Amino acid sequence: MADRTMRLEKYIATSGIASRRAVKKSILAGLVTVNGEPVLVPGHPINVETDAVEFEGKRVKPLMERIYLMLNKPAGYLTTRSDERGRPTVMNLVADLPESIYPVGRLDLETEGLLIFTNDGDFAYRLLHPSHEIAKTYLTWVKGVPDDSAVQRLRQGVTIPSGRTAPAKVERLKVSRDGASTQFEVVIHEGKKRQVRFMFKAVGHSVIRLKRVAVGTLRLGNLPQGQYRLLTPQEITTLMEL
């Protein structure tokens, strides 16, 4: 007979409500119940056929259809499911899709480019977990022309508000004709808040424009800004194996 038990946070994550990381936080905060009783410890085993699970007051039901897509996010959209001040969010750009999907990770308000969405909690957890060190590639335009010493510091790691950054790949692509700005390709494996912007600020150059063009092997390509497309089965499998 098949095993009907599953860890609580995995069950909720695979329902498409939230990522496993977010689920753990809600469990610790007492916002998850099993058969009406709060469960405060992640890893609690449940019977997926007989136990009644509620997440933040909503009944959790197993999800049948998995959705995976990427969006070319324009500047000016918050990476959040909703905003109490009514500002535009990335969810406005995927409004024709099921409400169960959510963005994997974040791009700040003015950052453009590749943003992955899913309702598969295990997939999201794998992409976000620091142990997997999945590369994120950005095109970055900065004020002025950072010298070779500044670029080398970025490659070796600099101190930003959230701590010291790990070594990064930083390649100068081109300098504007008037010398007012420089374009770089930057590859990082971390997800510190506003990391690329703070990295260049640490060496004296502010970011003018920032665009994520790849996550692992998945590249933005020529997807129009503000549009999305579903990931192919091969793209999904490859990301899961990173």
Side-chain angles (χ1 to χ4, degrees), residues 134-147:
I134 295 175
K136 293 112 179 165
T137 305
Y138 295 83
L139 290 180
T140 311
W141 292 260
V142 305
K143 287 185 178 179
V145 184
D147 60 22

Side-chain angles (χ1 to χ4, degrees), residues 14-233:
T14 55
S15 75
I17 291 179
S19 70
R20 203 185 304 189
R21 180 183 294 179
V23 171
K24 283 186 176 180
K25 289 182 180 179
S26 294
I27 291 174
L28 294 171
L31 301 176
V32 176
T33 64
V34 177
N35 300 324
E37 297 294 326
V39 174
L40 302 175
V41 180
H44 181 83
I46 64 159
N47 185 306
V48 300
E49 292 189 342
T50 60
D51 286 334
V53 177
E54 288 194 358
F55 175 81
E56 299 184 357
K58 296 181 180 179
R59 179 68 181 268
V60 178
K61 298 179 181 179
L63 185 72
M64 301 304 294
E65 181 185 12
R66 299 278 183 257
I67 298 173
Y68 312 84
L69 64 97
M70 70 171 177
L71 168 77
N72 185 352
K73 174 191 174 297
Y77 285 80
L78 293 169
T79 305
T80 183
R81 287 181 68 104
S82 61
D83 179 62
E84 58 188 18
R85 291 162 56 185
R87 293 173 294 179
T89 79
V90 292
M91 301 308 296
N92 300 134
L93 302 172
V94 293
D96 56 330
L97 292 170
E99 293 183 0
S100 62
I101 67 168
Y102 51 86
V104 180
R106 289 178 179 272
L107 292 177
D108 65 46
L109 179 66
E110 294 306 321
T111 299
E112 310 163 34
L114 198 163
L115 186 63
I116 298 172
F117 287 73
T118 190
N119 54 9
D120 182 341
D122 278 348
F123 177 78
Y125 180 80
R126 186 169 185 83
L127 289 185
L128 292 172
H129 199 279
S131 66
H132 293 119
E133 296 188 341
I134 295 175
K136 293 112 179 165
T137 305
Y138 295 83
L139 290 180
T140 311
W141 292 260
V142 305
K143 287 185 178 179
V145 184
D147 60 22
D148 291 344
S149 174
V151 174
Q152 188 59 28
R153 286 174 59 198
L154 293 170
R155 290 171 178 162
Q156 293 175 342
V158 293
T159 299
I160 64 175
S162 55
R164 189 163 183 84
T165 62
K169 293 181 180 179
V170 181
E171 297 297 332
R172 192 193 317 266
L173 299 181
K174 59 184 176 181
V175 178
S176 64
R177 287 185 177 182
D178 59 3
S181 65
T182 309
Q183 183 184 8
F184 289 88
E185 181 181 81
V186 179
V187 183
I188 60 175
H189 295 84
E190 302 171 290
K192 298 182 187 298
K193 187 176 181 180
R194 298 174 66 85
Q195 180 170 339
V196 176
R197 294 182 186 276
F198 280 128
M199 285 169 60
F200 279 95
K201 184 177 180 180
V203 297
H205 296 268
S206 59
V207 170
I208 303 168
R209 183 185 177 195
L210 186 61
K211 180 178 182 179
R212 185 159 69 187
V213 294
V215 173
T217 55
L218 183 66
R219 301 197 66 84
L220 185 64
N222 58 5
L223 182 66
Q225 193 171 78
Q227 300 298 307
Y228 69 83
R229 71 165 176 84
L230 298 177
L231 301 188
T232 67

